[in-house]
Amino acid sequence: MRIELVNTGDELLLGDTINTNAAWLGQQIAALGLMVSRHLVVSDGAVIKDAIAEAAGRSDVVLVSGGLGPTNDDLTRESLAELLGLPLELNEGIKTHLEAYFAKRNKVMVSSNLKQAMVPRGAVVLDNPFGTAPGLYFPAELSHSRGWDTHFFLMPGPPRELKPMMETLVEPKLRSLLPDGASRAIRYFKVTGLGESDIVERVEKKLEAVPGLILGYCIRQGDVDVRLSGQPGPVEAGTAIVNEHLSDHIISTDRRLMEEVVVQELAKRGQWLATAESCTGGFLANRITDVSGASRVYGHGFITYANEAKTKHVGVPSELLEQHGAVSEPVARAMAEGALKASGADHALSLTGIAGPTGGSEDKPVGTVFIGLASKDAETRVIKAFFPGMRDRFKLLASQTALDLLRRRLFGLRLG
Amino acid sequence: MRIELVNTGDELLLGDTINTNAAWLGQQIAALGLMVSRHLVVSDGAVIKDAIAEAAGRSDVVLVSGGLGPTNDDLTRESLAELLGLPLELNEGIKTHLEAYFAKRNKVMVSSNLKQAMVPRGAVVLDNPFGTAPGLYFPAELSHSRGWDTHFFLMPGPPRELKPMMETLVEPKLRSLLPDGASRAIRYFKVTGLGESDIVERVEKKLEAVPGLILGYCIRQGDVDVRLSGQPGPVEAGTAIVNEHLSDHIISTDRRLMEEVVVQELAKRGQWLATAESCTGGFLANRITDVSGASRVYGHGFITYANEAKTKHVGVPSELLEQHGAVSEPVARAMAEGALKASGADHALSLTGIAGPTGGSEDKPVGTVFIGLASKDAETRVIKAFFPGMRDRFKLLASQTALDLLRRRLFGLRLG
């Protein structure tokens, strides 16, 4: 099945908005075992018509986002109706939704908004609970008049409206268009502590040997999503292989992030976490407090960028700093144990290292980091790691390794 | 001048990589007073040829990124050479660069890399100091054989290679193709504390009245870039208008971020900053420590998520917490003053608020935040702000407001 994606919006072409929708939709399509074959961005206004016609001539499915709003420049609905020779008819259901939407917000509905209640004859309305612009689905029959056999889906541009519409209405419809789509299963495994090549080496050949199994990766800094799709039998066989060979590197199978897994597990146990960060400068604390409900497990954090702060707030003896330097195993240990004591928490993570770009030495090059974990009921553990490169990458990977150390302790796994 | 952008790369279509290059290039083109008219993404491999041919038929300039690497799927160079009927010739300069590149990294150069040293006859090599794939410029004359009059620029896909090539080699060439491009001036103003509509109201009509001045905005959360371009005269006239009406809301005119401006100003003065964060949970500290050289101005940070942490580490009296609640003017004040004392810094910023999604009340709804600034040589100042919505937006806007408070004190401006 050939799928093309068309976006409209001057803000995309001017670079004022990064096109995250395209990547997100690409992943949704990939999860069905398909790949978008072309992705085209055009300006607001009349050019959308040519863009849709070009894509339709080559494709089984055209996904369009943007241009469903109330302004004169929003012409996606009208352009496709014109291409297919379909009259626009007022849809009373949408009109009622629009009126309610504006009333709830104490806003006046201007007449241009009624444009959004016009539906080309034969098109199926896709409800948009999060905005004013409904989506539209045009079954392939509607395109036969043009000599095409193409399904069209029109979706709004704002991600908070597009994503739920894609997940709840468009994806199931796409699935139903695939010969074996209705029964297709998808599994995700979020994996950390292994590079892409390690994952390939451990499982790729074995997974490729399962007939009918579709394998995909989404590689990010700090973790990799392994995606298995296909009929339930092959997906189950693949799941067994992944569980066996990636085992304790699997953070979650429900797409939860590392910080969510850790915070939620701490909450389940009623335990508290503290942090003492030097080189990551608050990045770890920020990840933890990004999780809703973090205040039930996280109370105290220290950013001890200066040596004096390490001594004063988390009790690192100054002799230790003088003897071993701030970036050292004993200092990471003292920071974690000091943060545990100063906070009364059950666990404390510490990081001390050289984020760069300056400050490295031959002995301790830029990228060197010591990560400590102290716990009330277990021995303190310190690991050394090395993440050279940019500062943002360093902060991300160092904090990921710290959270993984705690995850491993919480779940009783081997500590790194 | 009509410009189209073509990207190649399966990782873009599969959504594994967000296409940040497209937005960045869009901004660079917009800065020349132009707009990309179409942006097309295609798969790796042979389809790039059709994509380039389509774009060329409609455009004065085609920018292509990706597909210049050493693998069989990297066919951009070869496809355009074939379209224009140009033979590929080995370029000794590139070969030498490649050999040196691999030698420096102690890697063996395999023969497929030599593909990157092949240059279509007549094309101009664009040096790539940050990678192995040189860029290529094809002047419009080379396309006359096809009946086109189109300039082509081929650039590598990785941002760290593409961006410097665009800035130093492609942009000046594009400029020279514009009738008045060589003398065109560009000015940026990074503005904070005003919404888009405020900015429009203050300056848009006045700027639009300047003949020959091209106005653009790039709107982000927390700040807006106002961009003026055109001939030097109109740009100077526009600059005077912006300076007069946006005055102390202008953070920088050299695209520096708020945290860079603040950290660099503190460094210049030899002053130190401390932070005490509740609701922002390390986000502010992380922004500060994202700036290279932050360790010269930032030594101590406290994340006092729990009330007990506010009392223990930055000395907020527990009666104050009981009497006013953690989210209050007196607590923000005590946190800032306590952080100043505990750190010995010259300035301390504090934040206490309700990031959400839960925890709000009628009196203090989700989004409420108190921000304090204590300084050695000035009175403590506390402001109240309100940023409802998502947690990430709250953290960003609250930290931006805190940094702006300090910026205003450092530069002797009115404090909010």
Side-chain angles (χ1 to χ4, degrees):
Chain A
M1 192 159 83
R2 194 182 153 97
I3 301 188
E4 295 201 18
L5 175 61
V6 180
N7 299 154
T8 164
D10 286 357
E11 72 283 6
L12 298 170
L13 294 168
L14 289 166
D16 293 343
T17 301
I18 291 176
N19 198 339
T20 54
N21 278 348
W24 187 83
L25 288 168
Q27 287 183 17
Q28 300 300 112
I29 305 292
L32 292 170
L34 303 168
M35 181 167 123
V36 171
S37 57
R38 268 184 180 231
H39 164 220
L40 175 64
V41 186
V42 295
S43 184
D44 292 317
V47 290
I48 187 68
K49 198 168 148 184
D50 289 343
I52 294 178
E54 280 171 36
R58 286 185 299 248
S59 310
D60 304 301
V61 172
V62 178
L63 296 179
V64 187
S65 78
L68 296 178
T71 77
N72 288 338
D73 260 5
D74 292 310
L75 290 175
T76 302
R77 185 189 301 104
E78 292 75 7
S79 298
L80 184 52
E82 209 180 310
L83 278 171
L84 304 181
L86 305 171
L88 286 159
E89 298 170 335
L90 182 72
N91 181 299
E92 289 294 335
I94 302 175
K95 192 180 162 201
T96 306
H97 166 72
L98 286 173
E99 285 165 351
Y101 189 94
F102 283 95
K104 195 176 160 192
R105 284 160 183 77
N106 286 317
K107 285 184 177 174
V108 178
M109 186 171 100
V110 294
S111 62
S112 59
N113 281 106
L114 265 189
K115 186 160 130 52
Q116 300 183 299
M118 301 303 289
V119 173
R121 186 180 294 165
V124 179
V125 174
L126 306 173
D127 287 337
N128 178 4
F130 302 98
T132 58
L136 291 168
Y137 165 53
F138 295 69
E141 305 87 84
L142 295 180
S143 75
H144 291 174
S145 60
R146 288 287 302 226
W148 300 327
D149 189 36
T150 308
H151 301 267
F152 299 91
F153 295 88
L154 313 190
M155 291 183 279
R160 71 179 180 286
E161 302 177 30
L162 175 135
K163 287 183 179 182
M165 188 180 291
M166 178 72 190
E167 284 176 331
T168 60
L169 301 171
V170 179
E171 198 268 356
K173 188 73 211 168
L174 282 176
R175 233 174 221 277
S176 75
L177 299 175
L178 289 169
D180 63 348
S183 59
R184 189 168 282 184
I186 299 164
R187 295 287 298 265
Y188 293 92
F189 304 85
K190 195 176 286 297
V191 174
T192 198
L194 293 175
E196 187 190 358
S197 56
D198 301 319
I199 296 173
V200 166
E201 199 182 308
R202 286 181 183 219
V203 297
E204 190 166 276
K205 276 207 181 122
K206 296 181 183 75
L207 292 172
E208 284 176 352
V210 179
L213 182 63
I214 301 160
L215 169 64
Y217 304 105
C218 183
I219 299 135
R220 280 176 298 263
Q221 288 192 338
D223 58 46
V224 175
D225 275 354
V226 177
R227 188 182 60 232
L228 303 180
S229 60
Q231 290 301 303
V235 169
E236 282 319 299
T239 297
I241 293 166
V242 170
N243 280 334
E244 184 185 343
H245 296 280
L246 303 183
S247 61
D248 59 357
H249 292 283
I250 301 168
I251 310 169
S252 69
T253 55
D254 52 9
R255 313 197 79 174
R256 278 184 305 154
L257 304 173
M258 173 72 92
E259 52 267 39
E260 294 176 291
V261 170
V262 166
V263 165
Q264 288 161 11
E265 185 63 22
L266 286 166
K268 211 166 114 184
R269 293 161 180 259
Q271 295 185 339
W272 291 83
L273 169 64
T275 55
E277 300 177 68
S278 185
C279 52
T280 46
F283 191 93
L284 173 60
N286 186 47
R287 284 183 69 173
I288 294 166
T289 60
D290 271 347
V291 183
S292 184
S295 59
R296 280 181 295 150
V297 306
Y298 183 70
H300 305 239
F302 304 90
I303 298 152
T304 57
Y305 227 53
N307 279 356
E308 189 208 317
K310 296 181 181 72
T311 303
K312 190 166 176 193
H313 310 305
V314 293
V316 178
S318 45
E319 310 82 65
L320 219 56
L321 289 160
E322 278 156 35
Q323 202 184 328
H324 301 279
V327 179
S328 63
E329 201 271 352
V331 169
R333 179 178 297 271
M335 283 170 68
E337 292 177 350
L340 196 73
K341 204 172 149 197
S343 64
D346 301 282
H347 305 278
L349 286 168
S350 69
L351 296 115
T352 178
I354 303 155
T358 59
S361 66
E362 196 162 321
D363 198 31
K364 293 171 185 171
V366 167
T368 304
V369 60
F370 291 88
I371 300 170
L373 168 60
S375 300
K376 264 188 179 158
D377 303 321
E379 265 184 36
T380 299
R381 182 67 184 265
V382 179
I383 56 173
K384 185 182 179 181
F386 183 53
F387 305 114
M390 304 297 285
R391 186 182 280 232
D392 54 352
R393 178 173 177 271
F394 174 89
K395 283 181 163 186
L396 179 67
L397 296 179
S399 65
Q400 181 78 350
T401 307
L403 288 168
D404 198 40
L405 196 60
L406 176 56
R407 178 186 73 92
R408 288 174 170 275
R409 176 156 283 173
L410 290 174
F411 288 95
L413 306 170
R414 190 175 41 83
L415 295 189
Chain B
M1 192 158 87
R2 195 182 152 96
I3 301 188
E4 294 199 19
L5 176 61
V6 180
N7 299 153
T8 164
D10 287 357
E11 72 282 8
L12 297 171
L13 294 168
L14 290 166
D16 293 342
T17 300
I18 291 175
N19 197 338
T20 53
N21 278 348
W24 187 83
L25 288 169
Q27 286 184 19
Q28 299 299 113
I29 305 294
L32 292 169
L34 303 167
M35 181 167 124
V36 170
S37 57
R38 270 184 178 231
H39 165 220
L40 176 64
V41 185
V42 296
S43 184
D44 291 319
V47 289
I48 186 70
K49 197 168 148 185
D50 289 342
I52 294 178
E54 280 171 37
R58 284 185 299 249
S59 309
D60 304 300
V61 172
V62 178
L63 296 180
V64 187
S65 79
L68 297 178
T71 77
N72 287 338
D73 260 4
D74 293 309
L75 291 175
T76 302
R77 185 190 300 102
E78 293 74 8
S79 298
L80 184 53
E82 209 179 309
L83 277 172
L84 303 183
L86 305 171
L88 286 157
E89 299 171 334
L90 182 73
N91 180 301
E92 289 295 336
I94 302 175
K95 191 180 163 201
T96 306
H97 167 73
L98 286 172
E99 285 165 351
Y101 188 96
F102 283 96
K104 194 177 161 193
R105 284 159 182 78
N106 286 317
K107 286 184 175 173
V108 178
M109 186 170 99
V110 294
S111 62
S112 60
N113 282 106
L114 265 189
K115 183 161 129 54
Q116 300 184 298
M118 301 304 287
V119 173
R121 186 180 294 166
V124 179
V125 174
L126 306 173
D127 287 337
N128 179 4
F130 303 98
T132 58
L136 291 168
Y137 165 54
F138 295 69
E141 305 86 84
L142 294 179
S143 74
H144 291 175
S145 61
R146 287 289 300 229
W148 299 328
D149 189 35
T150 308
H151 301 267
F152 299 91
F153 294 89
L154 312 189
M155 291 183 279
R160 70 180 180 285
E161 302 177 31
L162 173 134
K163 287 183 179 185
M165 188 180 290
M166 177 71 190
E167 285 177 330
T168 60
L169 300 171
V170 178
E171 198 266 356
K173 189 72 208 165
L174 282 176
R175 231 175 225 274
S176 76
L177 299 176
L178 288 170
D180 62 349
S183 59
R184 187 167 284 185
I186 298 163
R187 294 288 297 268
Y188 293 94
F189 304 84
K190 196 175 285 297
V191 174
T192 199
L194 293 174
E196 188 192 0
S197 55
D198 301 319
I199 295 172
V200 165
E201 200 183 307
R202 287 181 183 219
V203 297
E204 189 166 277
K205 275 204 182 124
K206 295 182 185 76
L207 292 172
E208 284 177 353
V210 178
L213 182 65
I214 301 160
L215 169 64
Y217 304 106
C218 183
I219 297 135
R220 280 177 298 263
Q221 288 191 338
D223 59 43
V224 175
D225 275 355
V226 177
R227 187 181 61 230
L228 304 179
S229 61
Q231 291 301 300
V235 169
E236 281 319 298
T239 297
I241 293 166
V242 170
N243 280 334
E244 184 186 342
H245 296 281
L246 302 182
S247 61
D248 59 357
H249 293 283
I250 301 168
I251 310 169
S252 69
T253 54
D254 52 8
R255 313 196 79 173
R256 279 184 305 153
L257 303 173
M258 175 71 90
E259 51 267 40
E260 294 176 288
V261 170
V262 166
V263 165
Q264 287 162 10
E265 185 63 23
L266 286 166
K268 214 166 112 186
R269 293 162 180 257
Q271 295 186 339
W272 289 82
L273 170 64
T275 55
E277 300 178 67
S278 184
C279 52
T280 46
F283 191 93
L284 172 61
N286 186 47
R287 283 182 70 174
I288 294 165
T289 61
D290 271 345
V291 182
S292 183
S295 59
R296 279 180 296 145
V297 306
Y298 183 71
H300 304 241
F302 304 91
I303 297 152
T304 58
Y305 227 53
N307 279 355
E308 189 207 319
K310 294 180 182 71
T311 303
K312 190 164 177 194
H313 310 305
V314 293
V316 178
S318 45
E319 310 83 64
L320 218 56
L321 289 160
E322 279 156 33
Q323 200 183 331
H324 301 279
V327 179
S328 63
E329 200 271 354
V331 168
R333 180 178 297 270
M335 284 171 69
E337 292 177 351
L340 195 74
K341 202 172 150 197
S343 64
D346 301 281
H347 306 278
L349 285 168
S350 69
L351 296 114
T352 178
I354 303 154
T358 58
S361 66
E362 196 164 320
D363 198 32
K364 291 170 186 171
V366 166
T368 304
V369 60
F370 290 88
I371 301 170
L373 167 61
S375 300
K376 264 188 181 159
D377 302 322
E379 267 186 32
T380 299
R381 182 66 185 263
V382 179
I383 57 173
K384 185 182 180 181
F386 182 55
F387 305 115
M390 304 297 286
R391 186 180 281 231
D392 55 352
R393 179 173 176 269
F394 174 90
K395 283 181 164 187
L396 178 66
L397 296 180
S399 65
Q400 181 78 351
T401 307
L403 289 168
D404 198 38
L405 197 59
L406 177 55
R407 178 186 71 93
R408 287 174 171 274
R409 176 155 282 174
L410 290 175
F411 288 97
L413 305 170
R414 193 174 38 84
L415 294 188

